[in-house]
Amino acid sequence: MKPETPLLFFDSGVGGLSVLGPTRALLPTAPIVYVADSAAFPYGTRSEAEIAARVPALLGRLTERFRPRIAVIACNTASTIALAYVRAALDIPVVGTVPAIKPAAEQSRTRIIGVLGTPATVRQPYVDDLAARFAADCTVLRHGSAELVELAERKLAGEAIDSADIDAAVAPLTGQGMDVVVLACTHFPLLSKELAAALPGVAQVDGGPGIARRIAHLTAGQPWPVQPPPGIAVFTGEGPAPAVAAALTDFGIGDLRNI
Ligand code: DGL
């Protein structure tokens, strides 16, 4: 293992930054390759078959190209559908992002929790399984919103977000006694403030910090560079808006590429 061997983060768009952020806080000099599958964005309205075919193949090519030490699927949609296929296809550790139902159930007092993800994520058997294992005594309200994914991308691209759009997107979760909501899409922590205003008194839980700890654990004892090398962002389709490119520099990413 060389110090310059990167961590590879993968999402359909900018959502994976909510996983990259806490990871950089723990591993500040880790070399980063951030991949946004912008050619197929958004994932949340695609079929299981499309995601299951596309994600392992793409990650296989990216892994050959960048030789990362770990691949992080920083996307709930891709992880809940394709994690097992990606693990079978790659010969490096693969860390997935799946809805943080366990910590949400641990902290709920009303025993009513929400799972706010993409339409594809909230219908996955993977989520049924997490709810049965970790929240059997809770009512688990599920809601899929493709609109919030778009709003998160637009916010990062520098556009103003109308609070009425956020209110409308989460309306199906309100008025039912929910006290904790799982942000089960990596785009949604980027709207944390807006969601807090739309869901007052509801605690938000997301997987980012736990995944960062998992990555630190899996790489314990491995060498890292003394100074962080410039991070690389790869876009499979359209490149980033100028404001997104500027936001990427806050994550140490200045080398933007298309494949
Ligand atoms: N950020 C992704 C997730 O965690 C998917 C967003 C999308 O492309 O629909 O589910």
Side-chain angles (χ1 to χ4, degrees), residues 11-12 15-16 41-45 74-78 118 121 149 184-187:
D11 183 36
S12 58
F41 173 88
Y43 277 5
T45 50
C75 173
N76 289 260
T77 311
T118 65
T121 295
V149 177
C185 168
T186 53
H187 278 74

Side-chain angles (χ1 to χ4, degrees), residues 78-140:
S79 300
T80 56
I81 294 171
L83 184 55
Y85 307 124
V86 174
R87 286 202 168 123
L90 304 189
D91 58 1
I92 54 170
V94 178
V95 177
T97 306
V98 299
I101 289 176
K102 186 175 182 221
E106 280 166 1
Q107 65 177 265
S108 173
R109 289 169 171 276
T110 62
R111 310 315 286 157
I112 302 170
I113 65 174
V115 176
L116 181 60
T118 65
T121 295
V122 297
R123 66 172 182 253
Q124 292 313 309
Y126 204 119
V127 179
D128 301 337
D129 184 54
L130 290 173
R133 279 165 60 205
F134 301 119
D137 69 330
C138 292
T139 299
V140 181

Side-chain angles (χ1 to χ4, degrees), residues 9 15-24 72-75 97 186 206-209 211-212 215:
F9 288 78
L17 296 176
S18 71
V19 180
L20 175 58
T23 306
R24 287 188 80 235
V72 182
I73 308 180
C75 173
T97 306
T186 53
D206 77 271
I211 292 160
I215 295 166

Side-chain angles (χ1 to χ4, degrees), residues 215-238:
I215 295 166
H217 174 76
L218 287 171
T219 57
Q222 294 181 4
W224 297 107
V226 178
Q227 294 293 328
I232 298 169
V234 177
F235 292 80
T236 60
E238 205 182 321

